[in-house]
mmCIF file of all heavy atoms in Angstrom:
data_model
loop_
_atom_site.group_PDB
_atom_site.id
_atom_site.type_symbol
_atom_site.label_atom_id
_atom_site.label_comp_id
_atom_site.label_asym_id
_atom_site.label_seq_id
_atom_site.Cartn_x
_atom_site.Cartn_y
_atom_site.Cartn_z
ATOM 1 N N SER M 219 65.386 92.540 177.504
ATOM 2 C CA SER M 219 65.856 91.644 178.550
ATOM 3 C C SER M 219 66.021 90.224 178.047
ATOM 4 O O SER M 219 66.970 89.509 178.410
ATOM 5 C CB SER M 219 64.897 91.665 179.745
ATOM 6 O OG SER M 219 64.822 92.954 180.307
ATOM 7 N N THR M 220 65.118 89.798 177.165
ATOM 8 C CA THR M 220 65.174 88.437 176.620
ATOM 9 C C THR M 220 66.466 88.238 175.815
ATOM 10 O O THR M 220 67.166 87.239 175.972
ATOM 11 C CB THR M 220 63.951 88.166 175.714
ATOM 12 O OG1 THR M 220 62.757 88.344 176.463
ATOM 13 C CG2 THR M 220 64.026 86.737 175.156
ATOM 14 N N ALA M 221 66.754 89.205 174.947
ATOM 15 C CA ALA M 221 67.952 89.125 174.143
ATOM 16 C C ALA M 221 69.212 89.115 174.994
ATOM 17 O O ALA M 221 70.167 88.373 174.756
ATOM 18 C CB ALA M 221 68.001 90.276 173.134
ATOM 19 N N LEU M 222 69.201 89.957 176.055
ATOM 20 C CA LEU M 222 70.368 90.049 176.919
ATOM 21 C C LEU M 222 70.616 88.738 177.665
ATOM 22 O O LEU M 222 71.744 88.253 177.748
ATOM 23 C CB LEU M 222 70.186 91.203 177.913
ATOM 24 C CG LEU M 222 70.315 92.612 177.340
ATOM 25 C CD1 LEU M 222 70.058 93.653 178.421
ATOM 26 C CD2 LEU M 222 71.671 92.834 176.720
ATOM 27 N N TYR M 223 69.564 88.180 178.246
ATOM 28 C CA TYR M 223 69.741 86.953 179.024
ATOM 29 C C TYR M 223 70.107 85.756 178.134
ATOM 30 O O TYR M 223 70.964 84.951 178.496
ATOM 31 C CB TYR M 223 68.481 86.639 179.838
ATOM 32 C CG TYR M 223 68.353 87.512 181.073
ATOM 33 C CD1 TYR M 223 67.268 88.360 181.234
ATOM 34 C CD2 TYR M 223 69.343 87.506 182.064
ATOM 35 C CE1 TYR M 223 67.148 89.184 182.370
ATOM 36 C CE2 TYR M 223 69.238 88.313 183.180
ATOM 37 C CZ TYR M 223 68.143 89.156 183.331
ATOM 38 O OH TYR M 223 68.042 89.950 184.433
ATOM 39 N N MET M 224 69.475 85.673 176.981
ATOM 40 C CA MET M 224 69.812 84.577 176.060
ATOM 41 C C MET M 224 71.237 84.739 175.563
ATOM 42 O O MET M 224 72.018 83.780 175.518
ATOM 43 C CB MET M 224 68.844 84.563 174.874
ATOM 44 C CG MET M 224 67.436 84.110 175.216
ATOM 45 S SD MET M 224 66.341 84.075 173.776
ATOM 46 C CE MET M 224 67.152 82.841 172.768
ATOM 47 N N GLY M 225 71.624 85.966 175.197
ATOM 48 C CA GLY M 225 72.982 86.222 174.768
ATOM 49 C C GLY M 225 73.999 85.953 175.874
ATOM 50 O O GLY M 225 75.069 85.387 175.641
ATOM 51 N N GLY M 226 73.635 86.348 177.113
ATOM 52 C CA GLY M 226 74.523 86.126 178.245
ATOM 53 C C GLY M 226 74.754 84.661 178.532
ATOM 54 O O GLY M 226 75.877 84.227 178.821
ATOM 55 N N ILE M 227 73.694 83.852 178.409
ATOM 56 C CA ILE M 227 73.799 82.418 178.676
ATOM 57 C C ILE M 227 74.694 81.743 177.609
ATOM 58 O O ILE M 227 75.574 80.939 177.927
ATOM 59 C CB ILE M 227 72.404 81.761 178.717
ATOM 60 C CG1 ILE M 227 71.634 82.245 179.956
ATOM 61 C CG2 ILE M 227 72.525 80.232 178.705
ATOM 62 C CD1 ILE M 227 70.203 81.803 179.993
ATOM 63 N N VAL M 228 74.450 82.103 176.341
ATOM 64 C CA VAL M 228 75.263 81.525 175.254
ATOM 65 C C VAL M 228 76.723 81.932 175.430
ATOM 66 O O VAL M 228 77.650 81.097 175.260
ATOM 67 C CB VAL M 228 74.733 81.972 173.892
ATOM 68 C CG1 VAL M 228 75.671 81.505 172.778
ATOM 69 C CG2 VAL M 228 73.338 81.426 173.648
ATOM 70 N N MET M 229 76.966 83.196 175.798
ATOM 71 C CA MET M 229 78.327 83.658 175.971
ATOM 72 C C MET M 229 78.986 82.975 177.168
ATOM 73 O O MET M 229 80.196 82.707 177.142
ATOM 74 C CB MET M 229 78.360 85.176 176.139
ATOM 75 C CG MET M 229 78.096 85.937 174.869
ATOM 76 S SD MET M 229 78.513 87.697 175.002
ATOM 77 C CE MET M 229 80.297 87.613 175.116
ATOM 78 N N LEU M 230 78.205 82.714 178.205
ATOM 79 C CA LEU M 230 78.751 82.014 179.384
ATOM 80 C C LEU M 230 79.219 80.601 179.006
ATOM 81 O O LEU M 230 80.323 80.193 179.388
ATOM 82 C CB LEU M 230 77.709 81.945 180.487
ATOM 83 C CG LEU M 230 78.096 81.170 181.757
ATOM 84 C CD1 LEU M 230 79.336 81.772 182.414
ATOM 85 C CD2 LEU M 230 76.924 81.099 182.725
ATOM 86 N N VAL M 231 78.387 79.878 178.260
ATOM 87 C CA VAL M 231 78.755 78.536 177.822
ATOM 88 C C VAL M 231 79.999 78.578 176.930
ATOM 89 O O VAL M 231 80.947 77.803 177.101
ATOM 90 C CB VAL M 231 77.583 77.868 177.069
ATOM 91 C CG1 VAL M 231 78.012 76.528 176.488
ATOM 92 C CG2 VAL M 231 76.391 77.682 177.999
ATOM 93 N N ALA M 232 80.016 79.523 175.990
ATOM 94 C CA ALA M 232 81.158 79.652 175.095
ATOM 95 C C ALA M 232 82.416 80.049 175.848
ATOM 96 O O ALA M 232 83.508 79.553 175.590
ATOM 97 C CB ALA M 232 80.852 80.696 174.000
ATOM 98 N N LEU M 233 82.269 80.939 176.857
ATOM 99 C CA LEU M 233 83.405 81.378 177.654
ATOM 100 C C LEU M 233 84.004 80.212 178.442
ATOM 101 O O LEU M 233 85.225 80.017 178.447
ATOM 102 C CB LEU M 233 82.961 82.488 178.616
ATOM 103 C CG LEU M 233 84.023 82.983 179.595
ATOM 104 C CD1 LEU M 233 85.151 83.686 178.857
ATOM 105 C CD2 LEU M 233 83.390 83.945 180.614
ATOM 106 N N LEU M 234 83.152 79.429 179.094
ATOM 107 C CA LEU M 234 83.635 78.268 179.852
ATOM 108 C C LEU M 234 84.317 77.269 178.960
ATOM 109 O O LEU M 234 85.364 76.704 179.322
ATOM 110 C CB LEU M 234 82.471 77.647 180.620
ATOM 111 C CG LEU M 234 81.854 78.505 181.745
ATOM 112 C CD1 LEU M 234 80.641 77.782 182.357
ATOM 113 C CD2 LEU M 234 82.862 78.832 182.812
ATOM 114 N N TRP M 235 83.707 76.999 177.801
ATOM 115 C CA TRP M 235 84.331 76.086 176.864
ATOM 116 C C TRP M 235 85.689 76.605 176.382
ATOM 117 O O TRP M 235 86.669 75.859 176.347
ATOM 118 C CB TRP M 235 83.419 75.826 175.664
ATOM 119 C CG TRP M 235 84.184 75.394 174.444
ATOM 120 C CD1 TRP M 235 84.480 76.165 173.336
ATOM 121 C CD2 TRP M 235 84.808 74.139 174.208
ATOM 122 N NE1 TRP M 235 85.214 75.455 172.437
ATOM 123 C CE2 TRP M 235 85.466 74.211 172.948
ATOM 124 C CE3 TRP M 235 84.902 72.962 174.960
ATOM 125 C CZ2 TRP M 235 86.161 73.139 172.414
ATOM 126 C CZ3 TRP M 235 85.616 71.876 174.413
ATOM 127 C CH2 TRP M 235 86.232 71.990 173.175
ATOM 128 N N GLY M 236 85.720 77.877 176.006
ATOM 129 C CA GLY M 236 86.954 78.432 175.478
ATOM 130 C C GLY M 236 88.096 78.391 176.494
ATOM 131 O O GLY M 236 89.222 78.044 176.159
ATOM 132 N N LEU M 237 87.790 78.768 177.739
ATOM 133 C CA LEU M 237 88.814 78.740 178.785
ATOM 134 C C LEU M 237 89.261 77.315 179.060
ATOM 135 O O LEU M 237 90.465 77.030 179.148
ATOM 136 C CB LEU M 237 88.282 79.385 180.075
ATOM 137 C CG LEU M 237 88.053 80.890 180.028
ATOM 138 C CD1 LEU M 237 87.373 81.358 181.310
ATOM 139 C CD2 LEU M 237 89.367 81.645 179.816
ATOM 140 N N PHE M 238 88.306 76.400 179.184
ATOM 141 C CA PHE M 238 88.629 74.992 179.455
ATOM 142 C C PHE M 238 89.485 74.404 178.335
ATOM 143 O O PHE M 238 90.526 73.778 178.586
ATOM 144 C CB PHE M 238 87.340 74.194 179.616
ATOM 145 C CG PHE M 238 87.561 72.702 179.557
ATOM 146 C CD1 PHE M 238 88.084 72.023 180.644
ATOM 147 C CD2 PHE M 238 87.231 71.977 178.405
ATOM 148 C CE1 PHE M 238 88.286 70.649 180.590
ATOM 149 C CE2 PHE M 238 87.436 70.614 178.347
ATOM 150 C CZ PHE M 238 87.969 69.952 179.442
ATOM 151 N N ALA M 239 89.087 74.608 177.079
ATOM 152 C CA ALA M 239 89.752 73.980 175.956
ATOM 153 C C ALA M 239 91.167 74.556 175.763
ATOM 154 O O ALA M 239 92.129 73.814 175.533
ATOM 155 C CB ALA M 239 88.940 74.176 174.687
ATOM 156 N N ASN M 240 91.315 75.867 175.904
ATOM 157 C CA ASN M 240 92.650 76.473 175.753
ATOM 158 C C ASN M 240 93.589 76.032 176.878
ATOM 159 O O ASN M 240 94.770 75.769 176.644
ATOM 160 C CB ASN M 240 92.535 78.008 175.736
ATOM 161 C CG ASN M 240 92.156 78.546 174.365
ATOM 162 O OD1 ASN M 240 92.956 78.526 173.436
ATOM 163 N ND2 ASN M 240 90.913 79.013 174.260
ATOM 164 N N ILE M 241 93.057 75.987 178.109
ATOM 165 C CA ILE M 241 93.874 75.534 179.243
ATOM 166 C C ILE M 241 94.258 74.072 179.056
ATOM 167 O O ILE M 241 95.378 73.657 179.361
ATOM 168 C CB ILE M 241 93.138 75.746 180.569
ATOM 169 C CG1 ILE M 241 93.001 77.261 180.856
ATOM 170 C CG2 ILE M 241 93.872 75.069 181.718
ATOM 171 C CD1 ILE M 241 92.148 77.592 182.049
ATOM 172 N N LEU M 242 93.324 73.266 178.532
ATOM 173 C CA LEU M 242 93.629 71.861 178.269
ATOM 174 C C LEU M 242 94.747 71.710 177.247
ATOM 175 O O LEU M 242 95.665 70.914 177.444
ATOM 176 C CB LEU M 242 92.361 71.147 177.767
ATOM 177 C CG LEU M 242 92.523 69.677 177.361
ATOM 178 C CD1 LEU M 242 92.945 68.838 178.565
ATOM 179 C CD2 LEU M 242 91.232 69.149 176.735
ATOM 180 N N ILE M 243 94.682 72.482 176.168
ATOM 181 C CA ILE M 243 95.738 72.433 175.144
ATOM 182 C C ILE M 243 97.073 72.822 175.754
ATOM 183 O O ILE M 243 98.119 72.166 175.514
ATOM 184 C CB ILE M 243 95.398 73.383 173.978
ATOM 185 C CG1 ILE M 243 94.117 72.957 173.270
ATOM 186 C CG2 ILE M 243 96.563 73.443 172.990
ATOM 187 C CD1 ILE M 243 94.191 71.684 172.519
#
């Protein structure tokens, strides 16, 4: 569960950044 939640949080941050940055470009 620890690995899943930590991985999920990192992926959420990366996902939001990726969507925001690509849309901005």
Side-chain angles (χ1 to χ4, degrees):
S219 298
T220 302
L222 288 178
Y223 283 119
M224 289 181 63
I227 291 172
V228 174
M229 286 194 69
L230 176 60
V231 174
L233 175 66
L234 294 176
W235 155 255
L237 291 174
F238 166 77
N240 278 289
I241 292 173
L242 176 63
I243 298 292

